[in-house]
């Protein structure tokens, strides 16, 4: 595919090459860098996030909040999608919102600032989660959801999702804090084996938002087995899930993948339902 419209320091518009990591080997532990845990947790601002917005072609009746991968931006992932599809991800009645994560110290980059939704010790599903930064960002992203509600869009007319780290963030946001949204999608994403999402859902008895998941079989950064394990675990905890594998696809977006996602979004947020509620 054509090169990304993104800085050359990032591979496939998401994680830096220096972050590449195989699953933790025996005796290898995921440890925080000394003194960085508190500083990274404090980096999340309470201010509203910058957002790139694709307005619906017609009347606004539903919303999608799409979160970028680490090191990217809202305008960056929007441009990437536009490049792959040869047009914006645009709908007749659905607004698409691309927030940008604030820059924070990022441990896999030796503490350098990066636009990431949360910190983590390394890219591995064996690590404990950096729950302080995840929770603080869930609070910040709740502001984006609340703004849509203030604009007259009910929670069951909102879908949360993202690419890579953005998909992981969306799963935390939906399954731990906003279980009444219409759906969740995760592209080339995963949850850690001991994720707080799994812990929260073990106590859950309500109907959960459906998960739409995609993963390339040639992904060397976020291994496809991590995505598959995430899907199976969430399914075992009561989430209705679908998992779509894309042969020979690395850690990137694909036209067929985005077309499937677009169809799923319209199925979950049909314009007819919105009109019948008026």
């Amino acid at each position: 595919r054509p090169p990304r419209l993104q800085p050359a320091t990032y591979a496939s518009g998401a994680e830096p090459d220096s972050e590449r990591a195989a699953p933790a080997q025996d005796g290898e532990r995921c440890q925080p860098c000394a003194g960085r845990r508190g500083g990274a947790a404090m980096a999340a601002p309470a201010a509203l996030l910058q957002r790139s917005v694709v307005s619906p072609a017609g009347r606004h009746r539903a919303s999608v909040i799409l979160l970028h991968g680490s090191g990217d931006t809202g305008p960056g992932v929007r441009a990437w999608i536009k490049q792959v599809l040869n047009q914006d991800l645009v709908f007749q009645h659905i607004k698409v919102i691309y927030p940008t994560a604030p820059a924070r110290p990022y441990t896999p980059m030796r503490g350098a600032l990066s636009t990431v939704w949360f910190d983590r010790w390394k890219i591995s599903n064996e690590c404990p989660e950096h729950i302080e930064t995840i929770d603080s960002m869930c609070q910040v992203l709740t502001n984006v959801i609340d703004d849509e509600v203030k604009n007259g869009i009910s929670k069951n007319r909102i879908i949360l999702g993202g690419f890579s780290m953005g998909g992981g963030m969306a799963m935390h946001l939906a399954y731990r804090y906003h279980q009444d949204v219409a759906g969740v999608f995760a592209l080339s994403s995963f949850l850690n084996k001991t994720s707080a999402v799994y812990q929260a859902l073990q106590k859950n008895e309500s109907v959960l938002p459906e998960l739409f998941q995609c993963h390339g079989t040639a992904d060397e950064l976020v291994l496809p087995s991590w995505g598959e394990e995430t899907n199976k675990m969430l399914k075992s905890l009561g989430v209705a899930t679908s998992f779509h594998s894309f042969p020979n696809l690395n850690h990137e977006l694909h036209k067929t993948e985005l077309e499937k996602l677009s169809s799923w979004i319209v199925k979950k947020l049909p314009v007819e339902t919105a009109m019948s509620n008026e």
Side-chain angles (χ1 to χ4, degrees), residues 178-235:
H178 300 280
Q179 295 181 354
D180 47 351
V181 296
V184 186
F185 63 90
L187 313 178
S188 305
S189 306
F190 73 101
L191 291 172
N192 298 38
K193 288 187 174 181
T194 58
S195 177
V197 173
Y198 302 148
Q199 298 170 31
L201 295 187
Q202 285 174 352
K203 309 167 188 174
N204 178 73
E205 296 180 355
S206 61
V207 177
L208 297 164
E210 181 183 337
L211 173 66
F212 176 93
Q213 214 174 335
C214 296
H215 219 113
T217 62
D219 194 334
E220 298 177 353
L221 183 63
V222 176
L223 301 186
S225 61
W226 300 354
E228 291 170 1
E229 288 170 13
T230 297
N231 191 279
K232 289 176 183 177
M233 189 65 180
L234 289 173
K235 189 172 184 177

Side-chain angles (χ1 to χ4, degrees), residues 22-252:
Q25 303 297 317
D26 291 341
E28 180 181 356
R29 293 177 297 166
C30 303
Q31 295 181 337
C33 295
R36 192 165 295 143
R37 186 183 185 106
M42 294 171 59
L48 293 176
L49 300 173
Q50 293 184 340
R51 309 167 200 182
S52 179
V53 175
V54 178
S55 298
R59 183 174 174 183
H60 179 203
R61 303 176 188 274
S63 298
V64 169
I65 300 171
L66 197 157
L67 307 179
H68 61 77
S70 72
D72 209 341
T73 64
V77 72
R78 176 184 172 181
W80 189 14
I81 289 172
K82 189 172 183 178
Q83 183 182 29
V84 173
L85 288 177
N86 292 318
Q87 65 175 42
D88 266 316
L89 186 64
V90 64
F91 303 91
Q92 182 66 28
H93 61 294
I94 304 169
K95 177 201 290 186
V96 183
I97 305 163
Y98 299 92
T100 295
R104 71 160 74 248
Y106 191 42
T107 299
M109 292 176 61
R110 296 188 174 91
L113 293 180
S114 186
T115 48
V116 292
W117 298 110
F118 50 86
D119 196 14
R120 54 185 166 196
W121 316 133
K122 61 183 291 187
I123 303 178
S124 169
N125 67 344
E126 303 281 352
C127 289
E129 292 175 321
H130 199 298
I131 200 67
E132 295 94 337
T133 54
I134 292 172
D135 284 353
S136 64
M137 188 50 61
C138 282
Q139 294 174 20
V140 175
L141 284 167
T142 292
N143 293 329
V144 182
I145 297 172
D146 288 346
D147 283 349
E148 294 310 292
V149 174
K150 291 173 186 174
N151 287 332
I153 305 301
S154 62
K155 293 274 285 294
N156 65 0
R157 297 286 295 168
I158 297 174
I159 283 177
L160 307 175
F163 175 77
S164 195
M165 174 184 271
M169 186 75 243
M171 288 186 279
H172 274 275
L173 188 61
Y175 294 120
R176 294 177 59 214
Y177 293 96
H178 300 280
Q179 295 181 354
D180 47 351
V181 296
V184 186
F185 63 90
L187 313 178
S188 305
S189 306
F190 73 101
L191 291 172
N192 298 38
K193 288 187 174 181
T194 58
S195 177
V197 173
Y198 302 148
Q199 298 170 31
L201 295 187
Q202 285 174 352
K203 309 167 188 174
N204 178 73
E205 296 180 355
S206 61
V207 177
L208 297 164
E210 181 183 337
L211 173 66
F212 176 93
Q213 214 174 335
C214 296
H215 219 113
T217 62
D219 194 334
E220 298 177 353
L221 183 63
V222 176
L223 301 186
S225 61
W226 300 354
E228 291 170 1
E229 288 170 13
T230 297
N231 191 279
K232 289 176 183 177
M233 189 65 180
L234 289 173
K235 189 172 184 177
S236 74
L237 291 168
V239 178
T241 70
S242 60
F243 189 90
H244 306 271
S245 293
F246 290 84
N248 304 315
L249 185 68
N250 208 313
H251 196 66
E252 55 190 338

